[in-house]
Amino acid sequence: MQQAAKLMQGNQAIAEGALYAGAGFFAGYPITPSSEIAEECSRRLPLAGGTYMQMEDEIASIGAVIGASLGGTKAFTATSGPGFSLMQENLGLAVMAEVPCVIVNVQRSGPSTGLATKPAQSDVMQIRWGRHGDQSIIALSPASVQECFELMVQAFNFAEKYRVPVILAADEIVAHMRENFLLPEAGEIPLVERKKPLGDPAGYKPFQPDEDGIAPLAAYGSPYVFHVTSSMHGPDGFSNNSPANAAWRVEQLHRKLERYQAEIALTKEFDTSDLDVLLISFGATTRAARAAARLARQEGIKAGVLQLVTLWPFPEREVRALAGRVQRIIVPEMNYSGQVAGEVRRVLGSGADIRQVNKYNGEIITPREILRAIKGDVDK
Amino acid sequence: MKQRFEVILAGSGGQGLVLSGILLGEAAILEGKNVVQTQSYGIASRGGFSQAEVIIDREEIIFQQVQSPDVVLVLTREAMEKYSLLAASVPVFYDTTLLDRQAGENFYGFPFTAMASELGHAGTANMIALGVISALTGLVKPENLAKAIDRRFSAEAARRNREALWLGVGMAGKERDNGGI
C-alpha cells in the first residue's frame, strides 16, 4: 500500500472495492443508507468502461445484474432492507442458475421501512433464509471502512470462484462511517475470474460440475449457447423434473459451498490468547465488543473477541474451537431475538453459557453495555 | 500535546456539520493521525437534529462513537440543551447569532452566522466555527484545514471557505488576547 491514507466513507470503499475487483456493471435503486454506493458508481463505473443503470425498482435491479453476469460481466447491486426484501425472488433465481453476482445489503432498522437512517443487524436470517426452497448462500460482514473495501473484493472473488451470489452484509454504521483508508495497489489483492468452458461448444453443459465441484460458465453471446431457467433443470440447463435429478441439483448447490467451507468461513480474533469470556460479534458491533474486552481486561477479566467476518455459511468450526476454552460467551447484536446468538446455541448446544446483548431501537450498542454482560449483570 | 480528541458538532440538517466533520478528519489525516467520523441524522434533508462526531487519535480507534467529548460545537437550541450539562473542563462553542448567551466558563460564544452573513456567504458559518475551534483547541492546524478545503472545493468555493476559516482563526486570536481560553 503505497498511497497516503485518505478519509473514506464505508459506502465509497464498497464502490471502490467493486471497481478494484473489476466490476463492470451496477444496476440499482438508491436507498438510504446505501445510496452513496450508487452515487459513486454512477460517476466512476462509466469512466472505467463499465455501465451504471438506475432501475425502476429493486426487482428489476437484481434482474439486470443477473443478466449482466450471464453476459460475462462482474455485476452487482446495493440496497437496504426494503429493497433487499424485493430482491429475494430473483436472488433465488441467481442461486438456482448459479449466477455469480454481489448484493450489498446495508442493514437499517426495520421492520418494513422502519428507521431509514438508523443502523441494525437484523437481516442475518433473512440473508440466509429469505428465499423459498433449499439453498445455501455466502454472506460477509465488514467492521471497518478498510474491510468494506476488502470484503467487497472478497465477495466478488467468492462469487466468481464458486459461481454463486454473495451478500455483503454491511450496516448503517460502517457504511456511513469515514476512516483512514489505504487503497491497495493493482495486483496487491489477487482477483478471481469465473471458470469458462473449453472444448466443443456443442457439448457444453452449463450445470455439469468439474472435478472441483464447480461448473464452468460461458457468457451469453459467445459460441457456447446455453439455456437458463429458474425451474429444475439438468446438467444441460433444460427442464428435468426427475426425482434423481432434483436431488442431485439441490445437493450440488449445497455441497459446492460445504466443500470449500474452510476457505469461505473467515474470522478474526482479538485478545484471545488467554480467555475466560468470549465475545462473538460481527459488523460494526465488533468495535464495541473489542473496546468492551479491553475494559474488562483492565478489571482483570480475560475477555476476547471472535469476529465473524463470514456470517454464512456459519463459521461453526471457528466458534467451537474458541468456545471450548471459555466459561461464558456473549453475543452482542443489533436485533431483538439474537439471530447470531441462536446460531451459536445451535452449534454449541444447550450446555454452554451463552448470553445476549441486544439493541433494536436504532441506537448503537456501547462498550459499557457489553461490559455489564461480561461482568454478569445482564442475563437473558 | 493531547493524544486523542473526541469532537461533537451538533445542530440541524443543512448547517454543514457533517462536511465540517469531514474537513476536520481530512486535516487530521494530513497530520498523520487516525480518524473516525460518524454522523447521526433523521430522515429530513433539511432541519431536524443532526450531529457529526470526529475522533482523532495517534492510536487505533476501536469504538467509533464519541463517549466523552473534549470539544463541542452547538448551532441550535436543541443541540445546546443536549450538551449544556457537560463537565466544566469541556469547551462548548456556540453561535450567539442563533442562541442566548450562556453563563458557564466553558461556553465560548461567537456570532458565527452573523459573521458569515457579513462576508456575504451565510453558508460559511461552519467554516468560521472550524477556524475558531482549531485555533483555540489545537485539534488540527488551521493551515491543514485550508488544505483540506482546497482539495474538496472548486477554486471559487475554496476561496470563500478559506476566507471564512481564516476569519474564524482571527477571531480566536482576539479571544485569546482577552484571556478567554
Side-chain angles (χ1 to χ4, degrees), chain B residues 1 23-24 26-28 30-31 33 56 58 130-131 133-135 137-148 165-166 169:
Chain B
M1 188 68 195
L23 290 169
L24 256 184
E26 287 175 342
L30 288 173
E31 296 175 12
K33 308 279 181 57
I56 300 169
R58 290 198 180 279
L130 277 186
I133 291 170
S134 60
T137 64
L139 268 183
V140 292
K141 293 194 178 81
E143 51 267 37
N144 287 324
L145 279 169
K147 260 187 213 162
L165 175 79
W166 290 115
V169 172

Side-chain angles (χ1 to χ4, degrees), chain A residues 298-373:
Chain A
Q298 285 167 15
E299 299 189 22
I301 304 168
K302 292 172 188 162
V305 178
L306 174 66
Q307 179 193 352
L308 307 180
V309 176
T310 298
L311 281 176
W312 303 114
F314 197 69
E316 301 188 2
R317 202 172 57 186
E318 292 73 10
V319 167
R320 246 186 237 112
L322 276 182
R325 293 168 39 200
V326 301
Q327 296 157 4
R328 179 179 292 174
I329 292 167
I330 293 158
V331 187
E333 51 190 318
M334 288 186 290
N335 60 56
Y336 177 82
S337 51
Q339 297 183 18
V340 164
E343 276 303 291
V344 174
R345 280 198 187 88
R346 181 181 66 74
V347 169
L348 298 178
S350 56
D353 180 358
I354 300 164
R355 302 180 184 205
Q356 299 180 201
V357 177
N358 301 99
K359 216 162 177 182
Y360 34 84
N361 61 354
E363 289 182 341
I364 293 163
I365 296 176
T366 66
R368 296 262 161 217
E369 287 166 334
I370 299 172
L371 182 65
R372 276 202 293 276

Side-chain angles (χ1 to χ4, degrees), chain A residues 70-103:
Chain A
L70 288 172
T73 304
K74 289 184 180 179
F76 74 116
T77 186
T79 188
S80 186
F84 190 62
S85 292
L86 285 175
M87 290 182 182
Q88 295 305 311
E89 185 180 359
N90 272 338
L91 188 49
L93 165 63
V95 172
M96 183 62 151
E98 301 183 67
V99 181
C101 55
V102 175
I103 296 95

Side-chain angles (χ1 to χ4, degrees), chain A residues 13-37:
Chain A
I14 288 170
E16 203 71 58
L19 289 162
Y20 187 94
F25 186 87
F26 176 99
Y29 186 84
I31 178 173
T32 302
S34 77
S35 298
E36 293 87 355
I37 301 171

Side-chain angles (χ1 to χ4, degrees), chain A residues 36-56:
Chain A
E36 293 87 355
I37 301 171
E39 185 183 349
E40 194 73 4
C41 288
S42 71
R43 288 194 302 112
R44 302 277 302 283
L45 256 182
L47 294 176
T51 302
Y52 170 88
M53 277 184 85
Q54 171 125 3
M55 305 301 292
E56 67 269 36

Side-chain angles (χ1 to χ4, degrees), chain A residues 24-361:
Chain A
F25 186 87
F26 176 99
Y29 186 84
I31 178 173
T32 302
S34 77
S35 298
E36 293 87 355
I37 301 171
E39 185 183 349
E40 194 73 4
C41 288
S42 71
R43 288 194 302 112
R44 302 277 302 283
L45 256 182
L47 294 176
T51 302
Y52 170 88
M53 277 184 85
Q54 171 125 3
M55 305 301 292
E56 67 269 36
D57 61 28
E58 289 87 349
I59 300 172
S61 299
I62 186 159
V65 164
I66 291 168
S69 179
L70 288 172
T73 304
K74 289 184 180 179
F76 74 116
T77 186
T79 188
S80 186
F84 190 62
S85 292
L86 285 175
M87 290 182 182
Q88 295 305 311
E89 185 180 359
N90 272 338
L91 188 49
L93 165 63
V95 172
M96 183 62 151
E98 301 183 67
V99 181
C101 55
V102 175
I103 296 95
V104 182
N105 176 12
V106 181
Q107 295 170 83
R108 70 188 214 189
S109 185
S112 192
T113 46
L115 297 168
T117 61
K118 302 297 176 190
Q121 297 175 304
S122 47
D123 299 352
V124 177
M125 285 298 166
Q126 184 195 25
I127 287 165
R128 175 65 185 86
W129 299 109
R131 288 116 355 248
H132 56 276
D134 271 321
Q135 59 191 272
S136 191
I137 202 153
I138 298 175
L140 311 174
S141 183
S144 67
V145 170
Q146 198 74 37
E147 279 185 6
C148 281
F149 174 89
E150 290 167 2
L151 295 186
M152 192 61 179
V153 177
Q154 185 70 73
F156 273 104
N157 280 351
F158 282 160
E160 292 288 314
K161 179 164 185 191
Y162 305 119
R163 211 183 136 176
V164 288
V166 176
I167 314 298
L168 186 75
D171 51 60
E172 187 275 340
I173 300 166
V174 85
H176 276 163
M177 184 166 69
R178 290 180 180 83
E179 281 190 290
N180 299 52
F181 172 79
L182 285 165
L183 181 66
E185 300 278 351
E188 201 174 323
I189 304 176
L191 302 180
V192 177
E193 308 295 331
R194 66 190 65 173
K195 197 168 56 176
K196 294 260 170 54
L198 302 164
D200 182 8
Y204 175 52
K205 291 195 169 69
F207 297 96
Q208 180 63 52
D210 292 336
E211 284 291 307
D212 63 0
I214 317 293
L217 180 59
Y220 272 21
S222 78
Y224 294 85
V225 177
F226 64 108
H227 185 242
V228 170
T229 171
S230 60
S231 291
M232 192 52 77
H233 47 269
D236 58 3
F238 290 103
S239 177
N240 184 334
N241 288 349
S242 82
N245 179 72
W248 171 75
R249 280 296 296 152
V250 169
E251 286 162 10
Q252 156 66 7
L253 293 179
H254 286 82
R255 283 182 184 159
K256 69 173 176 177
L257 294 185
E258 286 165 10
R259 177 170 172 172
Y260 295 100
Q261 164 91 14
E263 282 179 27
I264 299 168
L266 307 173
T267 58
K268 288 185 183 175
E269 294 181 21
F270 302 95
D271 301 321
T272 54
S273 53
D274 55 337
L275 207 56
D276 290 327
V277 179
L278 175 64
L279 308 173
I280 299 179
S281 68
F282 62 102
T285 304
T286 301
R287 306 174 74 110
R290 288 183 59 199
R294 292 213 172 167
L295 290 172
R297 280 180 183 270
Q298 285 167 15
E299 299 189 22
I301 304 168
K302 292 172 188 162
V305 178
L306 174 66
Q307 179 193 352
L308 307 180
V309 176
T310 298
L311 281 176
W312 303 114
F314 197 69
E316 301 188 2
R317 202 172 57 186
E318 292 73 10
V319 167
R320 246 186 237 112
L322 276 182
R325 293 168 39 200
V326 301
Q327 296 157 4
R328 179 179 292 174
I329 292 167
I330 293 158
V331 187
E333 51 190 318
M334 288 186 290
N335 60 56
Y336 177 82
S337 51
Q339 297 183 18
V340 164
E343 276 303 291
V344 174
R345 280 198 187 88
R346 181 181 66 74
V347 169
L348 298 178
S350 56
D353 180 358
I354 300 164
R355 302 180 184 205
Q356 299 180 201
V357 177
N358 301 99
K359 216 162 177 182
Y360 34 84
N361 61 354

